[in-house]
Amino acid sequence: MARIVLRDLVKTFGAYTAVDGINFEVKDGEFLIMVGPSGCGKTTTLNMISGLETPTSGEIVIGNAVVNDLEPGERGLGMVFQDLALFPHMSVFENIAFGLRVKRVPEDEIRRRVVAAAEAVHIKPLLDKLPRQCSGGESQRVALARTIVTNPSVFLMDEPLSSLDAKLRVDMRTELKGLHRRLGATFVYVTHDQAEAMTMADRIVVMNRGRVEQLGTPLEIYGRPASLFVAGFFGTPTMNFIEGTIEAEGAGRLFRSRAIAHPLPASVPAALAGRSVVLGVRAEHVFVEKEGERRGEVRLTEPLGDATLVFFDCGLPTPLVAKAPPNTPLAPGHALAFRFAPEHCHLFDAVAGTRLN
Amino acid sequence: MKAVATLTAEAARARRLRRERRRGIIRHAVLLVWTAVVLFPIFWMISTSFKDAGEWVTWPPHWLPHSPTLHNYAQIFAFSEMDPSLSRQATEQAFSIWKGLGDAAFICTTSSLLALLLGTFLAYAISRFNVGGRYFRHLILMIRMVPPIVVAIAILMYYAIMIPYATSSLLGVQISLFDTYTGLILLYTVTTLPFVIWMMLSFIDEVPYTLEHAARLMGAGRLTVLRRVVIPLVASGMVVTFLFVFILNWAEFLLALTLTHPEVTTLTVLLNKFQSASEGRLYGPQAAIGTVITLPVVILGILIQKHLVKGFSFGTIRK
């Protein structure tokens, strides 16, 4: 049983509050990813779970026990660090064996388990090498093997893929996901890369300024962001944001900004009428048409292969972006008409940034 | 056209090569002269150590001994105070260096090892736990700015008067640190400790703390982390540091002169005795001792050359 519960966790460094009272539970066997910009408190949270940082207040429960006062080594965790933290003076074998040696496991069992761990991540031929003789991807696997070998029930990972090149990173994502399925252990993973979080996580915790902005499945977070921050952090290209107000016209609702007006679904509460809001809509929910009442002019196109991003001006301070089919004839300077998919329009409070619909 | 261009380019290249070679020759000539200037005193010392008494101060000087002799060495390595075969006018006294060599080796090795051990742990604490606050690491070296002469007499008072007095009146047993191995070892340990801390700090700072975090997460306690991770990574630095403070202690003169006599004698103090010997200046044995003092340091340096190179090039740990 390796669930993790964080209760009112706070960490301050002098006057600076790194983690500001967070609460969430990581379920047994779950792959949970904490994501957020630099300085949002995600690594500090991970370090508190690992025991490398002591919480200023609050409780950490692993399994059924409060572990606040346990040493890192007593918590039954394995951790992969951002810089991998392989011991440069030890062979790959000794690196992997380190945890077992500390626990005084018999020599023949050490050998058996190190070889098994090395085989699990395909690095058996490297066992006699030194870390500096391994490539980036190989070092990554050594770090994984070193964590696997002690059979921890919880794996903590602090941006472990950040030092790899783009292609290898994508390959390792698949591999990590496979590893999680095979081991059935609880994974807590920290990254600032929203794509990594989307592709690997069972659930995502989005953090900002030491607080949890949203906790949910990748699709929930992408499809129903709880705040302006989450909406802007997830998705490429960034969601379109337009400031304006909501008007109620009988049963219908209308969003009106300086440059455009757009109908909203009737599900938007009438009570929101008159509120200053930010309307958010993703590029794939902006439809480019030949004719229509809302018009704009193409400023730039970015072909992605499977689609083309069309950036266009429509009288707003920043251009909007739409995802058009790859063979779109639109080019800079062309006129276009556009509309949004009303059911995919997100409304956020203009001041607090919280979700309204 | 093309051929002409190639020719000019080649000529330019040849000119550049010639210029570089000329510069190289000048550079090496300057360095050779400088090396000669620097090494000359050592050459002169070694040469003199093989000269007979008559050759020490002749004019014009004898660059190399005309009748090389091992007499000076025989004299300093003599096992008895007066060996009749070594007796000779102006150098009738045989100064054995065995005692001085043994004392110096024991005192320097012990105090350097002690300072290294203490200093490494202290540096670790300062590096990792910020002991003493932000500026402590800079303050440490300031202790060394105090000229030894300032403390020498004060320490003498402590060693020779206050400690014996205090211990005899409080404990009933008179303990004196004056003219003892312990006294000098303690003092050498303390005086070199700032250097050890300072040097080891730069090495320990280089060890990424995530290595220690990783080890601790795998269940290693603080001491295991130090023993299995930190110390092996700074081992080269420790060797360099040891050599550095060993040389400092090996060459220390003032404190040894002030705080010892006649029981404990280090080589530098012994060397000084030749200077004021009633027989005049005994350049030959003095040069022989000088050579003998230099040798261990040179041999040590050669033995640990690998560590020296590694230790002096910081940042060897891949992060």
Side-chain angles (χ1 to χ4, degrees):
Chain A
M1 186 63 185
R3 71 185 185 123
I4 302 170
V5 183
L6 308 184
R7 282 192 203 118
D8 299 322
L9 207 58
V10 174
K11 178 70 185 176
T12 55
F13 296 101
Y16 176 72
T17 305
V19 174
D20 193 3
I22 62 172
N23 286 284
F24 63 81
E25 178 178 346
V26 190
K27 295 175 193 153
D28 184 29
E30 187 176 33
F31 198 142
L32 182 112
I33 297 191
M34 286 192 270
V35 66
S38 303
C40 71
K42 54 191 190 299
T43 297
T44 309
T45 307
L46 194 76
N47 284 344
M48 284 194 281
I49 298 175
S50 69
L52 296 172
E53 295 276 7
T54 315
T56 308
S57 66
E59 253 181 13
I60 300 164
V61 179
I62 298 178
N64 292 317
V66 175
V67 296
N68 284 37
D69 297 327
L70 289 189
E71 279 287 305
E74 298 167 350
R75 299 187 180 196
L77 311 166
M79 185 156 173
V80 181
F81 291 84
Q82 184 167 10
D83 62 0
L84 304 182
L86 298 178
F87 306 128
H89 58 297
M90 295 182 196
S91 67
V92 168
F93 183 96
E94 284 305 318
N95 261 285
I96 302 174
F98 188 89
L100 301 176
R101 289 207 192 287
V102 168
K103 294 188 174 75
R104 301 189 193 286
V105 174
E107 189 60 40
D108 49 339
E109 193 188 334
I110 290 181
R111 179 147 285 282
R112 190 175 53 72
R113 282 171 69 175
V114 169
V115 170
E119 272 170 350
V121 291
H122 320 293
I123 51 158
K124 204 178 158 203
L126 303 179
L127 284 176
D128 293 328
K129 288 193 176 178
L130 284 172
R132 65 165 171 274
Q133 296 166 315
C134 298
S135 69
E138 287 167 349
S139 305
Q140 190 74 51
R141 288 162 199 274
V142 175
L144 275 176
R146 189 173 70 172
T147 317
I148 295 171
V149 78
T150 49
N151 293 328
S153 47
V154 176
F155 282 75
L156 306 178
M157 304 198 182
D158 186 6
E159 310 212 20
L161 305 185
S162 61
S163 57
L164 301 182
D165 61 55
K167 162 129 183 37
L168 201 54
R169 194 152 54 206
V170 174
D171 293 346
M172 283 304 288
R173 273 187 212 163
T174 320
E175 205 154 316
L176 276 180
K177 216 169 163 175
L179 187 71
H180 172 247
R181 215 174 27 242
R182 279 207 307 280
L183 299 174
T186 310
F187 276 42
V188 182
Y189 187 107
V190 160
T191 180
H192 64 269
D193 181 350
Q194 48 101 8
E196 224 168 85
M198 291 292 291
T199 46
M200 290 194 293
D202 290 331
R203 284 194 306 159
I204 296 174
V205 176
V206 188
M207 291 189 65
N208 185 30
R209 295 182 187 175
R211 292 177 166 277
V212 173
E213 288 270 341
Q214 189 171 4
L215 171 62
T217 64
L219 288 182
E220 276 168 14
I221 289 193
Y222 187 80
R224 258 185 87 75
S227 67
L228 206 55
F229 172 81
V230 178
F233 195 77
F234 278 83
T236 320
T238 310
M239 191 185 269
N240 294 297
F241 292 118
I242 311 165
E243 287 179 28
T245 50
I246 294 176
E247 293 174 2
E249 289 181 338
R253 311 278 178 266
L254 189 73
F255 170 79
R256 186 181 293 283
S257 81
R258 246 190 8 221
I260 59 168
H262 199 285
L264 295 170
S267 59
V268 173
L272 292 180
R275 280 280 278 272
S276 292
V277 298
V278 174
L279 179 134
V281 59
R282 294 203 185 276
E284 61 264 35
H285 302 130
V286 179
F287 301 117
V288 174
E289 293 159 338
K290 282 211 174 71
E291 296 298 328
E293 59 178 287
R294 282 166 291 275
R295 304 198 61 81
E297 185 188 311
V298 179
R299 186 191 270 193
L300 179 76
T301 61
E302 278 181 6
L304 300 176
D306 57 342
T308 295
L309 298 180
V310 180
F311 293 82
F312 60 93
D313 284 320
C314 59
L316 293 166
T318 51
L320 297 182
V321 55
K323 211 174 232 181
N327 53 357
T328 179
L330 289 169
H334 287 191
L336 56 68
F338 65 94
R339 68 182 173 81
F340 307 145
E343 67 279 15
H344 290 293
C345 285
H346 310 276
L347 295 173
F348 303 102
D349 186 280
V351 181
T354 47
R355 188 181 182 87
L356 297 173
N357 60 330
Chain B
M1 252 332 251
K2 205 170 175 186
V4 174
T6 322
L7 270 178
T8 351
E10 256 180 24
R13 224 181 99 227
R15 248 199 327 272
R16 203 173 56 238
L17 272 177
R18 264 202 308 278
R19 202 165 52 225
E20 269 170 21
R21 197 172 305 144
R22 208 160 46 230
R23 274 188 197 157
I25 290 169
I26 294 170
R27 201 162 41 228
H28 280 90
V30 170
L31 284 175
L32 270 175
V33 171
W34 183 241
T35 312
V37 169
V38 170
L39 289 183
F40 180 75
I42 296 173
F43 159 77
W44 193 247
M45 177 179 77
I46 296 171
S47 169
T48 305
S49 74
F50 292 105
K51 284 178 191 166
D52 223 338
E55 281 191 284
W56 296 344
V57 284
T58 50
W59 190 263
H62 293 173
W63 298 108
L64 291 169
H66 288 190
S67 46
T69 174
L70 288 173
H71 191 88
N72 298 320
Y73 287 96
Q75 229 182 337
I76 62 168
F77 285 123
F79 283 99
S80 63
E81 192 74 355
M82 270 290 283
D83 187 336
S85 70
L86 297 171
S87 182
R88 203 175 39 174
Q89 203 207 347
T91 59
E92 73 267 26
Q93 201 177 354
F95 283 95
S96 166
I97 70 159
W98 290 113
K99 170 92 166 84
L101 197 63
D103 283 5
F106 175 67
I107 291 169
C108 294
T109 310
T110 315
S111 57
S112 305
L113 281 177
L114 258 175
L116 185 69
L117 190 76
L118 286 173
T120 304
F121 281 105
L122 287 168
Y124 179 79
I126 294 167
S127 171
R128 294 302 193 244
F129 306 109
N130 227 356
V131 169
R134 216 164 128 199
Y135 301 108
F136 189 57
R137 50 174 69 203
H138 303 292
L139 289 176
I140 291 167
L141 266 195
M142 270 177 56
I143 302 169
R144 279 298 307 195
M145 302 297 156
V146 181
I149 187 74
V150 174
V151 289
I153 303 303
I155 298 282
L156 177 65
M157 301 289 283
Y158 264 107
Y159 275 21
I161 301 167
M162 291 173 78
I163 293 177
Y165 176 76
T167 48
S168 67
S169 57
L170 290 174
L171 307 171
V173 193
Q174 197 182 54
I175 298 173
S176 169
L177 290 174
F178 178 76
D179 200 19
T180 59
Y181 292 114
T182 320
L184 216 49
I185 287 170
L186 272 179
L187 205 57
Y188 280 2
T189 306
V190 172
T191 50
T192 52
L193 202 53
F195 285 121
V196 176
I197 296 174
W198 180 259
M199 287 180 76
M200 287 314 296
L201 259 175
S202 62
F203 295 113
I204 290 172
D205 282 344
E206 284 283 317
V207 178
Y209 62 87
T210 48
L211 292 183
E212 293 176 45
H213 285 176
R216 282 185 62 207
L217 265 158
M218 284 187 267
R222 287 253 179 225
L223 278 179
T224 313
V225 172
L226 258 175
R227 193 168 50 85
R228 301 278 315 271
V229 179
V230 181
I231 300 280
L233 285 174
V234 297
S236 289
M238 288 177 78
V239 172
V240 172
T241 309
F242 174 79
L243 187 67
F244 182 75
V245 295
F246 184 86
I247 293 172
L248 276 184
N249 290 337
W250 191 248
E252 204 286 325
F253 174 63
L254 186 70
L255 294 174
L257 179 73
T258 322
L259 300 173
T260 59
H261 188 78
E263 287 300 315
V264 179
T265 317
T266 62
L267 279 177
T268 45
V269 175
L270 184 74
L271 189 64
N272 184 51
K273 286 185 181 164
F274 288 76
Q275 188 88 3
S276 57
S278 54
E279 296 81 8
R281 294 184 175 225
L282 305 182
Y283 290 114
Q286 228 174 353
I289 291 183
T291 309
V292 170
I293 292 181
T294 317
L295 269 176
V297 179
V298 174
I299 293 171
L300 215 60
I302 292 169
L303 285 179
I304 58 172
Q305 203 176 15
K306 192 186 84 187
H307 290 282
L308 282 181
V309 174
K310 235 165 111 185
F312 282 128
S313 55
F314 298 164
T316 46
I317 298 162
R318 198 170 95 159
K319 290 199 176 177

